[in-house]
Amino acid sequence: MKTIGLIGGMSWESSLEYYRLVNEGVKARLGGYHSARCVMVSVDFAEIEAFQRSGEWDQAARVLVAAACALERSGADCVVLCTNTMHLVAESIQSAVEIPFLHIADATAEKICKAGIRRIGLLGTRFTMEEDFYKQRLADRFGLEVLIPDKDQRDLIHRVIYDELVMGIILEDSRRAFQSIIASLIDKGAQAIILGCTEIGLLIKPGDSPVPLFDTTLIHAEAAVNFCLAGDYPNP
């Protein structure tokens, strides 16, 4: 079994889900007393959020590169960045280490393509929905047509993520607002929805949407389990 390297803390609520999911995934595959071999470096989200807000992506990259290098020195066999938004600096992280970087958008897109879906709605932070680092990767590498909510809807999603979900606050009014936004994306032609922020899955569950949901936290954790067991145990 290989060792999974996790960069967490963005936020710790979703990092907790990653830790639970990789351990449950290994146990489900191997049974008995098995759990995942993993190492986590957890950053201070207040520092990262300040860099996001001020657009100092190079400074944020410096923090995450240091975390990835620490994982590599600790014996990790891969890097799993437990957040969608900070994949904006994925290339900087990958270039700083020798071990593989498991990209959350790639793992998600592979699942979407396998399901035969080509037109997908994307929910996430303002950065993930509006910048090209995520949706352009889905389009260029996997041929997906990515639909995003309207400006006011994007603002609401971003506010709920930062003011509620990363604080561990789950509100029924916000769930209904997200359901309305999902419905509007379906009206635009979305065949399914990417929960493109690792906290959104804390709020929105499969029963909250009439079309399939691709929860990036679940998918990314599964990709990490597949990686750590590859070569020794068959993938499901």
Side-chain angles (χ1 to χ4, degrees), residues 19-180:
Y19 185 76
R20 178 181 65 81
L21 290 166
V22 296
N23 280 287
E24 287 182 350
V26 168
K27 182 178 177 61
R29 295 268 290 278
L30 303 185
Y33 296 111
H34 283 287
S35 57
R37 295 184 187 273
C38 60
V39 182
M40 178 180 283
V41 174
S42 190
V43 302
D44 180 3
F45 186 48
E47 182 180 17
I48 298 297
E49 189 276 335
F51 290 142
Q52 291 176 343
R53 192 160 18 91
S54 62
E56 296 179 89
W57 299 104
D58 289 345
Q59 293 299 317
R62 176 183 55 79
V63 174
L64 299 183
V65 163
C69 291
L71 289 175
E72 188 170 42
R73 291 193 302 271
S74 298
D77 294 299
C78 68
V79 174
V80 175
L81 181 60
C82 303
T83 166
N84 285 272
T85 296
M86 293 315 301
H87 276 70
L88 191 149
V89 300
E91 291 183 8
S92 297
I93 297 171
Q94 179 62 92
S95 64
V97 294
E98 297 295 327
I99 57 178
F101 179 90
L102 306 187
H103 201 293
I104 196 168
D106 292 352
T108 302
E110 287 166 7
K111 284 277 190 181
I112 294 167
C113 291
K114 188 175 181 179
I117 293 167
R118 287 297 167 188
R119 187 177 295 113
I120 192 83
L122 174 63
L123 306 181
T125 66
R126 185 182 298 117
F127 312 112
T128 299
M129 292 185 288
E130 296 179 358
E131 301 289 339
D132 285 339
F133 75 96
Y134 200 96
K135 60 181 188 284
Q136 199 64 47
R137 189 180 184 98
L138 296 177
D140 292 346
R141 295 196 174 204
F142 299 93
L144 297 177
E145 180 183 349
V146 183
L147 306 175
I148 62 172
D150 295 337
K151 172 70 165 59
D152 289 347
Q153 295 173 328
R154 296 197 301 270
D155 289 344
L156 183 146
I157 294 167
H158 190 87
R159 180 189 61 75
V160 168
I161 290 169
Y162 281 86
D163 293 351
E164 298 173 18
L165 301 183
V166 301
M167 300 295 183
I169 299 169
I170 308 297
L171 299 178
E172 187 59 35
D173 284 349
S174 295
R175 179 179 288 108
R176 286 193 291 266
F178 272 54
Q179 288 178 298
S180 177

